[in-house]
Amino acid sequence: MALGARAETRCVKWRCGCGHVWRLLSLLLCFSPLVSGHIRYSIPEEMKKGSLIGNVAQDLGLDLKRLRSGRARIVSGESIQYTELKADKGTLVVNERIDREQLCGDVTPCSFSFEIILENPMELHQVTVEITDINDHSPVFKRNKINFDISESAVIGAGFSLISAEDQDVGVNGLKEYFLTENENFILKQNSNADGKKYAEMVLQKPLDRETNPFLSLKLIAVDGGTPQRSGTVNIDITVLDANDNAPVFNQSVYKATVLENSPKDTYVITVNASDADHGSNGVVTYHFSEIDSSLLNVFTINEETGIISIKGSIDYEKDKKYEFRIDAKDQGGLRDSSKVIIEVTDVNDNAPTISVMSFTSPVSEDSPPGTTIGIINVKDLDSGDNGQVNCKIEENSPFKIKSNLRNYYTLVTDTVLDREGVSDYNITVVATDSGLPPLSVRRTFHLKVSDVNDNAPVFLQSVYNTFITENNSPGLSVLTLRAKDPDENQNARVSYILEETNVGGSPISDFVSVNAESGVVHAVRSFDYEQIKELLFVVKAQDGGSPPLSSNVTVKILIQDQNDNPPQVLYPVQTGGSVVAEMVPRSADVGYLVTKVVAVDVDSGQNAWLSYKLQKATDRALFEVGLQNGEIRTIRQVSDKDAVKQRLTVIVEDNGQPSRSATVIVNVAVADSFPEVLSEFTDFTHDKEYKDNLTFYLVLALAVVSFLFITCLVVIISVKIYRWRQSRILYQSKLPVIPYYPPRYSDTLGTGTLPHVYNYEVCRTTDSRKSDCKFGRAGSQNVLIMEPSSTGTMQRIQSDRNILDEPDSPLEVSCVLIFFFFYHLKKYTYNQNQNQNQNHLYSPSVCCTHEEFNCALSNSENKIFSTINNQLEKMIISINISININSS
């Protein structure tokens, strides 16, 4: 804590001493988006790792939370990180052992600087740590022994330079003074160079006498000013020579020269010169470096004979700006003189600027406003003067710019609004160029990615999608694939396809199609029928996964194509399960006689509904033909008596689809001039035994009932008046109106039409019965014969034929009608109870027949029963007629 207090005190003093500097920095910060500060600490060297330097948070006035949230960190250009920031405590501690002599050498004061950077918002604080020296080094001589050859004739006051001791400590801990061991001949004289370094000379105070003392051994002691005091010692061995009374003398006490840095080896620097008044060998002078640093011996060399000083090693202005050393001139008698040489180094532009990244943020959001800081860089140039003046710029045209906030610090900011869909990443090249001749530059490229925001809605590749699908498709069939692209990325570009709800024919569109949310594939939910629906029109929405999501719509139109999936349907002649429909052809029919027309339709469309008619089978193929397009059955030759009465034609109706479908109809044709000729060919007497037994029972029962009713009717008829009897005659002569029947008319969707003509059918019912099921039909002028398989009665509607009912009414006719009417309906009820499958086809024998023809409508068993009844009725009728005649007369 004492050290921290010391550091804080020094910081305060430093700030007070540099108040005008802080006022300048404050002015700069007012125009800068960065917040900055500067603190200074002072610590001794060789502190242990983890030792406290100072409380950064307290000295900068920062909260510990701010240090953590701003990711406070130290940024330094040095390869060794001497300090460490404890963000959780806000303190600065020693990270590596600090050796002041290694760090700064002889430079005082010794310090190093670094920056503390905080983010969100960006803050930059400079910290300077001064390293004070401790007395951890003793003075050291480069050699263990100094040898001198001194002539005994050396004059009193002659000086002899001694090597200097080197003490790596500075200040009071550095070299303080020299001591020479006590002797009679020499005293020690101490001097200081311009740079403050001390050196010593031995001065002869008493003449030497080689004969008395040819060798002298002394010790030179160098001590520093530290506590405790440290010292170093070197031995001085003196050999006394014979007389040489003139010492060499330099022509200059100080030699000055200038040399360019990076000068090549053996470059000439300067020549030193000394003269000796002696003659002979005592006048020969040689030149030597006085005891200097070993580092200088690696840089310069001197020719011992000529005194020419030249370059031996490398000259680096950034390392040493000036060299200062001494040269000795020595004759053969050991006399010598010394002179100082000062060599100044001239800087050349040999160092390119360096770019250090303090902070860089990538990626940056594409919706960042102009002026957003993306990075801070530090640019340095080790050269001096104009060679060290650096200018920074951004290469090429990019939406960024660089601003200078503090000395050597630059900020990279956005200049315009970014668009990731246009450019997703940038290579920002910063060029730093100095002002030297020639100028040197350095490039540093920063790769910046632009992060996406959801600013683009999905776009379909087509404005409208049209496709076709054939009907009778399998459910789940893939119809088409919708594609929408979103120029955004990741979740913002993830497109989902949604089917918009709408109704088709009262049903939701989801009952017809579905859309895969991920792939956009449209599937048919069910099988389509062209005859029910011909097209589907719906809307699909493409929505991205952004927040909030963006979407767009597209219209999809699916046209359903017809398939030949419906066979032709035969409308006429009607095929029934329990009856035979026969067309009458008179034997007098000519060639081309129209027998009938097969009428069929196909609910398909287009060529699938084009129908053709062909005669597949025929009893006599040479007699009939079928119209290919209209289905008309006509005779192709004259009908003869040899032709069979019963003609069976099988007509096939085919459509024009691929593959084609067909329907078959059987047409029965009766070649005859009257109906009795046809009965034997078309009558079916197939009845099972159970039916016959039941019918016999009902006929016997009916006989008893009819007999009773008949007797009752006779009594009533006799008793009624003629007036009432005449009224009943009028009722019996009533005719039913002809009701026309029109079959359904079908029309093809393409307008081809399958029923070009209208056919009318008339129905004739039994007299005095509006519930009769006896049906008769006529197509044009053709005769149609309809028969019930269980009966033998026939009816032919021929205008020229006369019927017994056309005669005046008689009791015989009335009785016959009443009896047969009751008998017929009873028989029909029984038959229908046993033939449920034919309950919708109720046919009756004609009542428009004579008494003799009535027998033909019954079976053999029925004829037997009815014969008995008939005989009795004839007797009764004869009696009634006699009675009526008598009454009439």
Side-chain angles (χ1 to χ4, degrees), residues 578-580 682-687 787-791 831 838 843:
S579 64
V580 178
F682 293 94
T683 304
D684 183 10
F685 296 100
T686 305
H687 300 284
M787 297 178 293
E788 182 73 16
S790 61
S791 65
Y831 179 79
N838 295 328
Y843 299 95

Side-chain angles (χ1 to χ4, degrees), residues 181-194:
T181 56
E182 292 183 0
N183 64 91
E184 296 178 353
N185 301 102
F186 297 94
I187 62 172
L188 188 65
K189 182 180 179 181
Q190 300 186 50
N191 299 300
S192 297
N193 291 324

Side-chain angles (χ1 to χ4, degrees), residues 145-274:
K145 184 170 62 173
I146 302 174
N147 295 315
F148 286 101
D149 294 332
I150 303 175
S151 175
E152 63 180 348
S153 61
V155 295
I156 297 174
F160 302 92
S161 298
L162 302 176
I163 63 173
S164 298
E166 292 182 3
D167 193 340
Q168 295 183 15
D169 296 326
V170 295
V172 296
N173 296 322
L175 180 64
K176 182 179 180 182
E177 57 186 354
Y178 295 91
F179 295 96
L180 188 64
T181 56
E182 292 183 0
N183 64 91
E184 296 178 353
N185 301 102
F186 297 94
I187 62 172
L188 188 65
K189 182 180 179 181
Q190 300 186 50
N191 299 300
S192 297
N193 291 324
D195 56 1
K197 288 186 177 181
K198 297 181 180 295
Y199 65 94
E201 281 185 325
M202 288 191 311
V203 178
L204 184 63
Q205 66 175 355
K206 182 180 179 181
L208 295 173
D209 188 1
R210 188 189 65 83
E211 290 74 18
T212 305
N213 193 1
F215 297 100
L216 293 176
S217 182
L218 305 176
K219 285 189 177 181
L220 179 63
I221 301 172
V223 296
D224 61 20
T227 303
Q229 195 174 56
R230 292 174 177 268
S231 63
T233 303
V234 64
N235 294 323
I236 302 175
D237 293 333
I238 301 173
T239 301
V240 180
L241 301 177
D242 195 13
N244 181 20
D245 51 49
N246 290 291
V249 177
F250 280 99
N251 55 7
Q252 290 181 223
S253 61
V254 177
Y255 291 89
K256 291 184 178 180
T258 302
V259 64
L260 293 175
E261 70 169 325
N262 299 324
S263 295
K265 186 178 179 180
D266 296 332
T267 299
Y268 172 80
V269 179
I270 195 173
T271 300
V272 295
N273 185 33

Side-chain angles (χ1 to χ4, degrees), residues 189-484:
K189 182 180 179 181
Q190 300 186 50
N191 299 300
S192 297
N193 291 324
D195 56 1
K197 288 186 177 181
K198 297 181 180 295
Y199 65 94
E201 281 185 325
M202 288 191 311
V203 178
L204 184 63
Q205 66 175 355
K206 182 180 179 181
L208 295 173
D209 188 1
R210 188 189 65 83
E211 290 74 18
T212 305
N213 193 1
F215 297 100
L216 293 176
S217 182
L218 305 176
K219 285 189 177 181
L220 179 63
I221 301 172
V223 296
D224 61 20
T227 303
Q229 195 174 56
R230 292 174 177 268
S231 63
T233 303
V234 64
N235 294 323
I236 302 175
D237 293 333
I238 301 173
T239 301
V240 180
L241 301 177
D242 195 13
N244 181 20
D245 51 49
N246 290 291
V249 177
F250 280 99
N251 55 7
Q252 290 181 223
S253 61
V254 177
Y255 291 89
K256 291 184 178 180
T258 302
V259 64
L260 293 175
E261 70 169 325
N262 299 324
S263 295
K265 186 178 179 180
D266 296 332
T267 299
Y268 172 80
V269 179
I270 195 173
T271 300
V272 295
N273 185 33
S275 60
D276 194 322
D278 294 327
H279 294 280
S281 61
N282 291 329
V284 176
V285 179
T286 58
Y287 302 92
H288 307 275
F289 285 112
S290 295
E291 297 299 330
I292 60 176
D293 292 342
S294 58
S295 58
L296 287 176
L297 294 176
N298 295 325
V299 177
F300 299 102
T301 183
I302 188 170
N303 188 305
E304 295 183 354
E305 296 178 357
T306 62
I308 296 175
I309 299 175
S310 60
I311 295 176
K312 178 182 180 181
S314 61
I315 303 295
D316 189 358
Y317 175 85
E318 287 71 37
K319 185 177 180 181
D320 293 299
K321 297 176 175 59
K322 181 175 69 173
Y323 296 94
E324 186 175 330
F325 52 88
R326 298 188 68 82
I327 299 294
D328 288 340
K330 183 174 66 170
D331 60 17
Q332 299 297 321
L335 299 179
R336 65 181 64 191
D337 189 14
S338 64
S339 178
K340 182 185 293 185
V341 178
I342 299 175
I343 302 174
E344 293 185 353
V345 180
T346 302
D347 184 38
V348 296
N349 192 26
D350 61 337
N351 291 282
T354 59
I355 299 176
S356 301
V357 181
M358 302 291 103
S359 176
F360 185 72
T361 303
S362 179
V364 62
S365 178
E366 65 174 319
D367 60 350
S368 300
T372 301
T373 299
I374 61 173
I376 300 175
I377 60 175
N378 176 255
V379 181
K380 293 181 179 179
D381 194 320
L382 298 179
D383 295 324
S384 62
D386 291 340
N387 297 330
Q389 296 297 321
V390 180
N391 179 37
C392 280
K393 66 177 181 178
I394 295 179
E395 211 173 39
E396 300 177 351
N397 186 18
S398 63
F400 304 96
K401 62 182 179 180
I402 189 168
K403 298 193 301 182
S404 177
N405 297 305
L406 296 174
R407 183 176 179 272
N408 298 332
Y409 285 92
Y410 296 87
T411 304
L412 290 174
V413 297
T414 58
D415 193 26
T416 60
V417 177
L418 305 178
D419 183 12
R420 191 205 65 82
E421 289 71 36
V423 181
S424 61
D425 58 351
Y426 293 90
N427 287 324
I428 307 172
T429 302
V430 176
V431 181
T433 306
D434 60 23
S435 301
L437 291 175
L440 299 178
S441 63
V442 65
R443 286 172 171 79
R444 181 72 178 266
T445 300
F446 301 90
H447 186 70
L448 177 67
K449 291 185 177 181
V450 182
S451 61
D452 184 52
V453 296
N454 192 28
D455 56 348
N456 292 278
V459 177
F460 283 96
L461 302 182
Q462 299 175 218
S463 59
V464 177
Y465 284 84
N466 294 300
T467 188
F468 298 89
I469 183 174
T470 305
E471 66 171 333
N472 301 317
N473 58 286
S474 58
L477 177 68
S478 174
V479 181
L480 80 160
T481 301
L482 304 179
R483 281 286 182 269

Side-chain angles (χ1 to χ4, degrees), residues 8 14 61 104 165 234 241 338 344 348 464 476 535 539 551 613 618 622 640 697 708 788:
E8 182 177 356
W14 189 88
C104 301
V234 64
L241 301 177
S338 64
E344 293 185 353
V348 296
V464 177
E535 70 175 19
V539 175
S551 63
Y613 303 84
S640 64
F697 170 76
F708 174 77
E788 182 73 16

Side-chain angles (χ1 to χ4, degrees), residues 596-794:
T596 187
K597 180 174 182 177
V598 178
V599 180
V601 294
D602 194 321
V603 295
D604 291 324
S605 64
Q607 66 177 7
N608 295 329
W610 297 350
L611 301 180
S612 60
Y613 303 84
K614 299 177 182 178
L615 184 61
Q616 188 180 35
K617 294 181 182 179
T619 304
D620 187 355
R621 282 186 171 272
L623 183 57
F624 301 100
E625 68 174 359
V626 179
L628 180 63
Q629 301 298 331
N630 54 22
E632 293 179 351
I633 300 176
R634 295 179 180 271
T635 60
I636 57 177
R637 64 174 174 80
Q638 182 70 38
V639 179
S640 64
D641 295 337
K642 296 180 181 180
D643 294 326
V645 175
K646 183 177 180 180
Q647 297 285 338
R648 184 181 178 91
L649 308 179
T650 302
V651 178
I652 182 170
V653 184
E654 292 184 343
D655 57 26
N656 199 35
Q658 292 295 332
S660 63
R661 292 177 175 267
S662 62
T664 304
V665 61
I666 297 175
V667 180
N668 293 304
V669 179
V671 181
D673 293 327
S674 62
F675 284 101
E677 300 179 42
V678 187
L679 295 179
S680 61
E681 297 291 336
F682 293 94
T683 304
D684 183 10
F685 296 100
T686 305
H687 300 284
D688 54 14
K689 183 178 183 303
E690 182 182 357
Y691 167 74
K692 292 179 180 180
D693 295 341
N694 292 336
L695 183 60
T696 303
F697 170 76
Y698 288 119
L699 288 176
V700 173
L701 179 62
L703 179 61
V705 174
V706 170
S707 298
F708 174 77
L709 292 176
F710 180 70
I711 295 173
T712 304
C713 290
L714 288 177
V715 175
V716 173
I717 291 173
I718 294 172
S719 61
V720 297
K721 297 179 181 180
I722 299 302
Y723 175 75
R724 297 293 299 276
W725 181 73
R726 288 295 181 185
Q727 286 182 339
S728 64
R729 279 191 61 195
I730 296 174
L731 178 62
Y732 292 150
Q733 289 179 342
S734 65
K735 301 290 184 179
L736 291 175
V738 176
I739 302 174
Y741 166 72
Y742 298 93
R745 175 175 298 183
Y746 290 80
S747 62
D748 182 65
T749 56
L750 297 179
T752 58
T754 58
L755 283 178
H757 304 290
V758 177
Y759 287 80
N760 300 331
Y761 300 89
E762 297 179 355
V763 178
C764 177
R765 299 173 184 257
T766 58
T767 59
D768 198 27
S769 174
R770 299 189 181 273
K771 296 182 179 179
S772 174
D773 291 315
C774 182
K775 301 180 181 179
F776 303 91
R778 184 186 67 177
S781 61
Q782 303 304 310
N783 300 325
V784 180
L785 177 64
I786 301 178
M787 297 178 293
E788 182 73 16
S790 61
S791 65
T792 59
T794 62

